Amino acid sequence: MKLIDRYILKAHVGPFFFAFLTIIFVLILQFFASFADRFIGRGIGFGALVELIALQSAWMVGLAAPMAVLIAVVMAFGALTTTSEMTVFRASGVSLYRLMIPILLAGLVLSFFVERFNNVVQPLANYQARSLMDDIVKAKPNFGITENAFSPLVDGYSILVRKSDERTGGIGDIIIYDSTRPDFRSVITAEEGRISFSDDGGYLLLTLRNGEIHEVQQPDYRLYRKMSFQQHRYVFESTGFGFSRVMTGATVPAGRNCQQRSCCLWRVNTRERLTILKSI
């Protein structure tokens, strides 16, 4: 590597790391600002919060690295132009394309590492972050509930809670819209209730007290039913809550969502589906 190549690369190192760390910091602030109301005052340990932010920052790396490269190139060549060093290079017979060679090579190397990070590290980090969120929800079921706002804690149900007690799991002044049945629309109201998990963690239990169930037939609205209850319990399969924490070196299950799958896992699933289609 010639002296000029080392000089050009050195001019890019500082701006690159400055831009990279700044972008990561901004994205972390954005993430924390979006979920601060769910974290602060909920009894979540500082260590768990730091771990969650560190795991969530994995997807930020894939966004920050290309933007940092762009900012570093603009700042470095802008500084070289401002100090007339580009004029000196051109006067010495060094073309602009020659100055770009070390930057292009460094960009290829960085692209390889970013691709490996996005394909290997990021899916595992996303899975561990989801598992940590599930652990927090299991320990504090009201974590997914926001007071005075509809919360999609369970698919097909919109839950509005006026009062929520994080320590006991109790909730009050409850309104639930049930859209799981296409032929009926149901509205459940209750004075108080409680959210908890079964002992094995496989089911989410929603216990309501002193309430009513209103059902209207769809789409002609011909049938209306009203039922009162002193205690009513909903039992949901804890899909999305039933993951186990992933330890270092552990094997991650194949049933992950799109953000938790690597390229190799996608290829395996594609081969399996192609085999099924050929056998039909």
Side-chain angles (χ1 to χ4, degrees):
M1 182 180 292
K2 295 184 178 181
L3 180 62
I4 187 174
D5 297 331
R6 293 196 298 269
Y7 184 78
I8 294 296
L9 291 176
K10 185 178 179 181
H12 285 76
V13 171
F16 172 79
F17 282 105
F18 172 77
F20 181 81
L21 295 177
T22 301
I23 294 171
I24 291 290
F25 179 73
V26 171
L27 292 175
I28 290 177
L29 281 183
Q30 182 184 14
F31 167 78
F32 189 75
S34 301
F35 294 92
D37 57 335
R38 296 189 178 186
F39 295 142
I40 298 176
R42 300 298 180 97
I44 301 174
F46 180 76
L49 183 59
V50 172
E51 181 182 359
L52 180 61
I53 293 177
L55 292 173
Q56 287 289 343
S57 64
W59 63 267
M60 304 175 189
V61 173
L63 297 177
M67 290 189 288
V69 170
L70 175 62
I71 295 173
V73 170
V74 172
M75 292 181 62
F77 279 101
L80 292 175
T81 303
T82 302
T83 57
S84 300
E85 292 178 88
M86 291 295 295
T87 304
V88 175
F89 287 139
R90 298 296 298 275
S92 302
V94 180
S95 65
L96 179 61
Y97 300 103
R98 174 63 183 83
L99 296 176
M100 292 173 58
I101 290 177
I103 305 303
L104 293 176
L105 294 178
L108 290 175
V109 174
L110 181 63
S111 299
F112 172 79
F113 284 106
V114 171
E115 187 276 332
R116 288 288 84 196
F117 183 89
N118 290 340
N119 192 40
V120 178
V121 179
Q122 183 178 342
L124 183 59
N126 289 339
Y127 180 81
Q128 290 179 331
R130 178 61 183 272
S131 299
L132 180 57
M133 289 289 290
D134 295 338
D135 289 343
I136 294 175
V137 172
K138 284 182 179 180
K140 302 179 179 296
N142 289 21
F143 179 79
I145 295 292
T146 303
E147 291 185 355
N148 299 313
F150 284 99
S151 304
L153 181 65
V154 181
D155 293 339
Y157 293 84
S158 296
I159 304 174
L160 175 65
V161 173
R162 300 295 185 184
K163 302 176 183 178
S164 177
D165 191 337
E166 292 295 326
R167 296 183 178 180
T168 63
I171 51 179
D173 295 338
I174 309 153
I175 301 176
I176 302 175
Y177 290 91
D178 180 1
S179 58
T180 57
R181 295 187 297 173
D183 55 338
F184 277 93
R185 286 293 182 270
S186 302
V187 178
I188 303 97
T189 62
E191 295 181 2
E192 59 182 12
R194 178 181 174 84
I195 300 176
S196 61
F197 280 91
S198 59
D199 295 336
D200 59 358
Y203 296 93
L204 178 68
L205 308 178
L206 176 59
T207 304
L208 304 177
R209 299 182 182 88
N210 302 326
E212 297 177 343
I213 301 176
H214 303 265
E215 292 185 346
V216 179
Q217 188 178 21
Q218 299 289 332
D220 51 9
Y221 306 102
R222 291 183 179 180
L223 179 62
Y224 169 76
R225 293 184 298 193
K226 176 183 176 182
M227 295 169 283
S228 301
F229 60 85
Q230 292 184 346
Q231 179 169 313
H232 187 69
R233 172 173 290 184
Y234 286 91
V235 180
F236 306 102
E237 291 186 2
S238 56
T239 304
F241 299 102
F243 294 106
S244 300
R245 292 296 305 278
V246 179
M247 304 305 292
T248 304
T251 302
V252 181
R256 295 179 284 175
N257 60 32
C258 298
Q259 295 179 343
Q260 301 167 359
R261 295 185 180 184
S262 64
C263 181
C264 295
L265 187 56
W266 276 112
R267 286 199 296 266
V268 171
N269 292 343
T270 302
R271 292 194 193 101
E272 292 177 353
R273 297 191 178 187
L274 288 176
T275 303
I276 296 174
L277 290 176
K278 290 179 181 179
S279 62
I280 297 177

